[in-house]
Amino acid sequence: MRGLVISPEYEITNDGGIHIKNSDIDATKLRQYLLYWDKLDFPDNNLIGIGGSPEIDYLKDVGVLQRSRHILKSISGDVGDFYSKIQLETLKNNNEKEKGKWSLAQPNSKLVLNEESSVLTRNLEVELYESLPVPTSDVSLDDVLIFKERRKDELLEFRHLMDNLYLEILDSGDFERARLKNIDQLQLKIIELDRVMSESRITRLLQNVKIELDYTQVFINTVGAAVAGNAFGFPVGLSGALGFASSFIKVSSEFSLKPKNIPEGLKDYAYLYYSKKELI
């Protein structure tokens, strides 16, 4: 089982605070999360209602989504600032119950965190650019759930290949070995997922996801430079015919925010699902 602590879309204000642009979960992002993850947690609190919709209620009813409840005495500052803290607290609590099983998710190209609970540091990023096939917002949640059940083996293999790619880099520091063993297989698996979604008559988009990975100072010093900006395009021939002409997988070492206290055993601490338009 793998779960995501999801959130609305944040933005950084001029004074350095965090503002929630929309308190609901975007319909396409919700389908992304639902397709590729087993469990979702959309935290709530007793003072200010964040999000909530018939689709959220439906996923709660079928047992796919939970809303961890946080009891607060007061709110100071911007709502987005305190909600960022709630998201991190939910991540911590869920991983105490299920060690290493829960990660953060945000619909942003950069991880947005409360300043006092985060630190700017170098980490590892694995990015799937215009690569991830996801259902469009008009696909029913029932159809997504049916597809997940029918194609669970393919989805599990995709997750296994993703895990292998970055875990081998993190555990061994051998970027070249991880690339040779996993990236070609991962690309072919993505193309296969796109094909079976098409066969199931699920309309879809090719979206972007960036995985933020925690790793040690030793690794930064020894192989950090070797992974800076390595991008691998999809196989020639298959990519153009199937719509993956501009798709690639990129592995790089970057500076970005991360939680100060990452739960023990959690290496892939954040998944950033963002749209192509945000790169313009």
Side-chain angles (χ1 to χ4, degrees), residues 5-10 24-25 33 42 83 87 105-108:
V5 181
I6 64 177
S7 77
E9 187 175 359
Y10 299 130
D24 291 324
I25 302 294
Y33 304 152
F42 184 19
Y83 194 80
Q87 193 184 21
Q106 289 182 4
N108 310 307

Side-chain angles (χ1 to χ4, degrees), residues 174-197:
D174 191 340
F175 166 71
E176 187 62 16
R177 177 184 175 189
R179 180 186 72 82
L180 291 172
K181 284 187 62 177
N182 297 291
I183 285 184
D184 288 349
Q185 294 179 58
L186 179 60
Q187 290 174 331
L188 292 174
K189 177 53 62 177
I190 289 171
I191 290 172
E192 182 183 342
L193 280 173
D194 185 66
R195 177 183 59 78
V196 296
M197 289 175 69

Side-chain angles (χ1 to χ4, degrees), residues 109 127 129-130 208 274-280:
S109 58
E127 180 179 7
Y129 176 78
E130 290 187 34
N208 311 292
Y274 61 98
S275 302
K276 184 174 69 172
K277 64 182 180 181
E278 293 181 82
L279 295 179
I280 297 175

Side-chain angles (χ1 to χ4, degrees), residues 36-149:
Y36 290 103
W37 297 85
D38 304 309
K39 193 82 172 181
L40 307 177
D41 193 328
F42 184 19
D44 198 5
N45 69 93
N46 61 308
L47 295 182
I48 296 182
I50 300 292
S53 67
E55 289 195 332
I56 293 293
D57 291 339
Y58 172 75
L59 293 181
K60 283 178 61 180
D61 290 342
V62 298
V64 176
L65 182 144
Q66 64 192 40
R67 302 209 66 182
S68 291
R69 185 79 167 167
H70 293 260
I71 305 301
L72 308 171
K73 293 182 179 180
S74 63
I75 296 174
S76 59
D78 194 280
V79 173
D81 190 64
F82 99 87
Y83 194 80
S84 173
K85 295 179 184 177
I86 285 178
Q87 193 184 21
L88 289 177
E89 184 67 20
T90 304
L91 177 72
K92 174 178 174 290
N93 292 342
N94 287 353
N95 275 295
E96 285 177 353
K97 299 173 185 174
E98 298 171 295
K99 183 178 177 181
K101 299 295 186 183
W102 288 83
S103 301
L104 297 172
Q106 289 182 4
N108 310 307
S109 58
K110 294 287 186 181
L111 189 60
V112 178
L113 296 172
N114 172 269
E115 186 174 305
E116 73 177 52
S117 53
S118 63
V119 60
L120 181 65
T121 186
R122 183 180 288 277
N123 66 359
L124 186 71
E125 292 182 352
V126 175
E127 180 179 7
L128 276 62
Y129 176 78
E130 290 187 34
S131 302
L132 193 69
V134 299
T136 56
S137 60
D138 57 346
V139 176
S140 74
L141 297 178
D142 272 338
D143 284 345
V144 177
L145 291 170
I146 291 169
F147 178 82
K148 281 182 69 173
E149 180 59 29

Side-chain angles (χ1 to χ4, degrees), residues 233-253:
F234 276 58
V236 175
L238 286 175
S239 61
L242 298 178
F244 288 86
S246 59
S247 302
F248 60 80
I249 295 173
K250 180 180 177 182
V251 183
S252 58
S253 179

